[in-house]
């Protein structure tokens, strides 16, 4: 059994990072992008997601054949129709401040999650991806939350609550969306280049994308891990989750570079939750 490595973390914050040494999603294909209106940009800010470099794209799910218009920002994908209806807006705390997470968490009745590692011909996870998925699920199941993941490998994606698959596109990383209707985001895409990454890095990337599918944000709105400029509070604030260290407005203190929800990775990750990742998960779930 792998041991959980205890590091320091700042918790979940609003903001999406799109460039670093090795981003959580690196795709060689150039999107056929549509420009976001000012209204959609404002709604992304209201959801705590930076609209810079975001685009709208028709995306076809290779498992279902369904096509949806998606808003893509880094490794975050959002259904356009949900965004238009303010379905991703952040929830208010009792004092009117914003939290670090989308209001669409997984409801109490949907926290036994059947998660499928897809092995069909079009989109099969490699051996290392499968191992990374197994380790990531073990990490979520061993902590004290109301979440219970039941992992299987196969092709019956229709019956699953969450499906992890290789989308056949180059690069390393992955993408996921946020919960809808009290259910976790169903389809988690892993880029095909992850077949060449270690088991630990697959564990990290897949665990990170599962975190998004449960409603979690990137930790480093200050972008310190990636060396980029501070994104500030994305217009909605960056309020600390109780029990976790806090960074000041400019992110000069309190950031945990070992958090699973850091926006990018460099290939040296061990795939484990930091101590305060666990605090944040146990607080929300």
């Amino acid at each position: 059994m792998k041991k959980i490595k205890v590091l320091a973390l700042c918790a979940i914050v609003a903001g999406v990072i799109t460039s670093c040494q090795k981003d959580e999603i690196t795709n060689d294909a150039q999107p056929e992008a549509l420009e976001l209106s000012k209204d959609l940009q404002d709604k992304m800010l209201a959801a705590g997601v930076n609209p810079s470099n975001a685009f709208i794209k028709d995306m076809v799910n290779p498992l279902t054949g369904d096509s949806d218009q998606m808003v893509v920002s880094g490794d975050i994908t959002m259904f356009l129709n949900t965004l238009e209806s303010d379905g991703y807006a952040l929830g208010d705390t009792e004092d009117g401040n914003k939290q670090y997470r989308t209001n669409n968490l997984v409801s109490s009745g949907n926290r036994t999650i059947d998660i499928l590692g897809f092995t069909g011909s079009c989109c099969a996870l490699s051996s290392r991806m499968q191992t990374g998925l197994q380790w990531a699920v073990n990490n979520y199941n061993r902590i004290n939350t109301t979440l219970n993941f039941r992992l299987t490998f196969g092709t019956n994606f229709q019956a699953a609550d969450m499906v992890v698959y290789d989308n056949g596109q180059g690069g390393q990383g992955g993408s996921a969306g946020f919960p809808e209707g009290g259910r976790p985001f169903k389809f988690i895409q892993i880029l095909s280049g992850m077949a060449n990454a270690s088991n630990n890095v697959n564990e990290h990337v897949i665990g990170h994308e599962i975190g998004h599918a449960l409603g979690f944000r990137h930790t480093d709105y200050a972008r310190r891990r990636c060396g980029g400029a501070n994104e500030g509070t994305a217009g909605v604030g960056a309020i600390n989750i109780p029990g976790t260290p806090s960074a000041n407005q400019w992110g000069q203190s309190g950031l945990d570079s070992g958090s699973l929800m850091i926006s990018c990775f460099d290939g040296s990750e061990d795939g484990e939750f930091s101590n305060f990742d666990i605090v944040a998960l146990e607080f929300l779930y």
Side-chain angles (χ1 to χ4, degrees):
M1 181 179 292
K2 301 189 74 185
K3 295 182 179 178
I4 295 176
K5 183 176 181 181
V6 178
L7 300 171
L9 153 85
C10 162
I12 318 307
V13 292
V16 173
I17 313 306
T18 58
S19 64
C20 57
Q21 286 182 311
K22 190 178 288 184
D23 204 323
E24 278 296 341
I25 177 167
T26 304
N27 193 335
D28 295 334
Q30 295 299 313
E32 296 179 1
L34 298 177
E35 186 176 351
L36 269 70
S37 67
K38 178 63 165 57
D39 178 63
L40 285 177
Q41 292 181 47
D42 290 342
K43 287 177 177 179
M44 290 187 72
L45 286 173
V49 179
N50 194 320
S52 300
N53 301 317
F55 56 88
I56 300 171
K57 183 182 180 183
D58 289 326
M59 299 181 69
V60 177
N61 186 316
L63 301 183
T64 65
D66 295 336
S67 177
D68 291 288
Q69 280 196 302
M70 307 295 290
V71 178
V72 182
S73 179
D75 71 330
I76 301 296
T77 56
M78 310 171 80
F79 287 100
L80 177 60
N81 59 357
T82 302
L83 182 63
E84 288 176 331
S85 64
D86 287 322
Y88 294 113
L90 292 172
D92 291 339
T93 58
E94 290 182 1
D95 61 2
N97 290 321
K98 300 294 185 180
Q99 287 285 2
Y100 290 155
R101 46 102 176 154
T102 175
N103 196 38
N104 296 22
L105 292 179
V106 178
S107 63
S108 58
N110 295 315
R111 293 183 182 174
T112 294
I113 298 171
D114 288 310
I115 182 169
L116 177 75
F118 193 76
T119 58
S121 58
C122 81
C123 316
L125 297 178
S126 70
S127 175
R128 289 181 180 179
M129 293 175 190
Q130 291 186 40
T131 298
L133 172 57
Q134 179 68 71
W135 290 359
V137 167
N138 290 347
N139 290 340
Y140 278 98
N141 279 340
R142 69 163 56 96
I143 63 177
N144 184 27
T145 69
T146 55
L147 297 168
N148 175 35
F149 286 89
R150 299 189 299 201
L151 174 63
T152 58
F153 292 93
T155 60
N156 187 15
F157 65 86
Q158 295 92 340
D161 301 304
M162 192 180 291
V163 182
V164 183
Y165 68 97
D166 182 343
N167 70 2
Q169 299 178 13
Q172 291 190 345
S175 66
F178 297 128
E180 284 193 276
R183 295 185 178 278
F185 190 81
K186 181 163 183 172
F187 293 103
I188 294 177
Q189 302 180 48
I190 303 301
L191 300 185
S192 59
M194 293 305 299
N196 300 317
S198 69
N199 291 336
N200 279 335
V201 174
N202 274 280
E203 175 189 17
H204 171 88
V205 169
I206 294 172
H208 176 107
E209 300 306 340
I210 290 174
H212 284 316
L214 296 174
F216 282 93
R217 303 286 175 174
H218 288 143
T219 302
D220 55 338
Y221 74 95
R223 297 182 64 180
R224 290 179 62 192
R225 169 66 183 271
C226 300
N230 191 304
E231 290 195 341
T233 60
V236 295
I239 308 301
N240 179 241
I241 288 179
T244 64
S246 61
N248 63 26
Q249 180 180 0
W250 303 109
Q252 299 301 313
S253 63
L255 179 68
D256 176 10
S257 62
S259 168
L260 189 75
M261 296 309 297
I262 288 290
S263 61
C264 59
F265 65 100
D266 61 15
S268 64
E269 288 73 17
D270 62 9
E272 309 301 332
F273 292 124
S274 71
N275 183 55
F276 290 106
D277 282 337
I278 297 171
V279 170
L281 275 163
E282 291 181 347
F283 176 81
L284 291 181
Y285 284 111

